[in-house]
């Protein structure tokens, strides 16, 4: 008896890819309604493949998927947005790689999250347009933490529960947020954080992107906010992402 195959049409962003067989690739995709899935692109590495140009990393594409015996098969692919500015600038491309790896590590397969899909596609667009891609990443990190249920507490001391005063404070990754000046020195692993950096994180956390798109941030304050969020993300994931060191290297080379 022949087997009946179902087809699904979906948008998707290509997160990862790996070689399979002589001419195929296995792609990890983020979709709006099926979550993160894997699919096989048969023959895509052949020079004559019509799908190859539509299945590049970080491309948003319209795909027709068929249920295969072991995994879904990509039978049609049309690029919707190649995010070309990311492919023309190594630093912006590195930022995109970090954003994608961060999402990939936080998400499980086949868990629908339309808001997460929209956040990623919006972020890839913003990374190509913004004069400050680093600020785009800080906004993205905080939104991703919200969606994953790890929103850091930035208004109250996570040790005492009291409102944080307008002064330099601390941040505890293990406790998930800001620690007051009194508790900070007694909190293992707590990082000092200046009032300016804390205000920046609060602003990014509570604001829509349009409100921060043209924000000008002093380099030292931005670096401090980045270090705090990276410590928190590394603690949650129990690892440092591979893309972090490469992003740092590109940024140094780029000046």
């Amino acid at each position: 008896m022949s087997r009946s195959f179902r087809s699904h049409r979906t948008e998707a962003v290509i997160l990862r890819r790996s070689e399979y067989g002589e001419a195929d690739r296995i792609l990890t995709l983020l979709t709006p309604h099926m979550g993160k899935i894997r699919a096989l692109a048969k023959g895509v590495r052949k020079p004559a493949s019509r799908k190859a140009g539509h299945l590049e990393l970080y491309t948003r594409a319209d795909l027709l998927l068929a249920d295969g015996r072991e995994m879904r098969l990509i039978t049609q692919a049309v690029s919707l947005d190649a995010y070309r500015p990311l492919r023309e600038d190594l630093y912006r491309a590195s930022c995109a790689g970090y954003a994608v790896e961060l999402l990939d590590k936080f998400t499980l397969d086949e868990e629908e999250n339309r808001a997460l899909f929209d956040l990623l596609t919006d972020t890839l667009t913003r990374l190509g347009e913004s004069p400050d891609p680093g600020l785009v990443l800080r906004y993205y990190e905080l939104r991703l933490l919200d969606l994953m249920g790890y929103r850091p507490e930035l208004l109250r001391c996570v040790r005492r529960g009291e409102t944080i005063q307008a002064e330099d404070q601390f941040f505890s990754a293990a406790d998930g947020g800001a620690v007051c000046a009194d508790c900070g020195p007694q909190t293992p692993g707590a990082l000092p954080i200046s009032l300016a950096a804390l205000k920046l994180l609060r602003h990014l956390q509570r604001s829509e992107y349009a409100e921060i798109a043209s924000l000008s941030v002093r380099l030292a304050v931005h670096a401090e906010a980045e270090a705090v969020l990276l410590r928190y993300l590394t603690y949650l994931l129990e690892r440092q992402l591979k893309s972090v060191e490469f992003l740092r290297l590109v940024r140094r080379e780029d000046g």
Side-chain angles (χ1 to χ4, degrees):
M1 179 183 295
S2 62
R3 179 177 172 180
S4 175
F5 291 91
R6 293 181 57 202
S7 294
H8 315 263
R9 184 168 294 280
T10 182
E11 284 188 34
V13 175
I14 290 82
L15 304 181
R16 285 187 285 118
R17 65 186 186 185
S18 58
E19 311 301 316
Y20 185 78
E22 295 184 359
D24 307 336
R25 281 195 179 114
I26 296 174
L27 304 180
T28 301
L29 313 169
L30 184 69
T31 70
H33 302 299
M34 293 184 286
K36 188 172 69 174
I37 61 174
R38 294 201 313 159
L40 180 64
K42 295 184 68 66
V44 74
R45 289 157 53 203
K46 294 180 179 179
S49 172
R50 295 181 178 180
K51 294 193 293 285
H54 302 285
L55 296 175
E56 296 293 334
L57 285 175
Y58 319 145
T59 295
R60 181 170 66 92
D62 180 78
L63 305 180
L64 185 63
L65 306 176
D67 290 341
R69 290 181 174 83
E70 297 181 359
M71 71 177 72
R72 296 175 177 89
L73 307 176
I74 300 174
T75 58
Q76 294 178 15
V78 177
S79 175
L80 298 175
D81 196 335
Y83 303 107
R84 195 158 303 281
L86 304 180
R87 304 177 192 285
E88 298 170 350
D89 183 299
L90 181 58
Y91 174 55
R92 293 177 190 273
S94 303
C95 289
Y98 167 75
V100 165
E101 186 185 8
L102 184 60
L103 181 147
D104 190 22
K105 296 303 183 186
F106 263 108
T107 52
L108 299 176
D109 290 348
E110 303 198 16
E111 288 192 351
E112 178 182 351
N113 193 328
R114 177 65 200 232
L116 194 61
F117 179 83
D118 292 340
L119 175 63
L120 179 61
T121 55
D122 288 345
T123 297
L124 294 176
T125 298
R126 292 163 183 166
L127 286 173
E129 297 174 348
S130 173
D132 187 353
L135 191 64
V136 173
L137 287 182
R138 303 292 80 76
Y139 183 85
Y140 169 77
E141 289 164 340
L142 285 165
R143 286 294 172 277
L144 181 65
L145 287 166
D146 275 1
L147 291 172
M148 294 292 101
Y150 295 107
R151 179 185 178 92
E153 173 57 63
L154 301 175
L155 298 176
R156 294 181 178 274
C157 173
V158 292
R159 307 284 284 188
R160 287 183 177 176
E162 298 175 357
T163 301
I164 291 289
Q165 301 302 308
E167 59 184 351
D168 293 350
Q169 307 290 346
F170 293 81
F171 185 93
S172 170
D175 293 300
V179 180
C180 70
D182 292 334
C183 296
Q186 286 77 48
T187 303
L191 282 179
I193 181 170
S194 69
L195 178 60
L198 185 58
K199 283 184 174 180
L200 172 62
L201 291 177
R202 287 175 175 173
H203 184 36
L204 294 175
Q205 188 180 67
R206 68 172 179 258
S207 303
E208 296 297 324
Y209 180 75
E211 299 175 57
I212 63 98
S214 59
L215 194 63
S216 179
V217 181
R218 288 187 290 118
L219 187 60
V221 174
H222 195 157
E224 192 179 352
E226 179 181 16
V228 165
L229 283 176
L230 183 59
R231 171 71 70 90
Y232 187 40
L233 292 163
T234 301
Y235 175 83
L236 293 173
L237 293 171
E238 300 182 338
R239 73 186 81 181
Q240 180 160 301
L241 301 182
K242 295 178 181 179
S243 54
V244 169
E245 192 56 42
F246 182 70
L247 180 55
R248 287 173 176 165
L249 176 62
V250 171
R251 188 162 51 193
R252 286 197 297 268
E253 294 290 330
D254 209 32

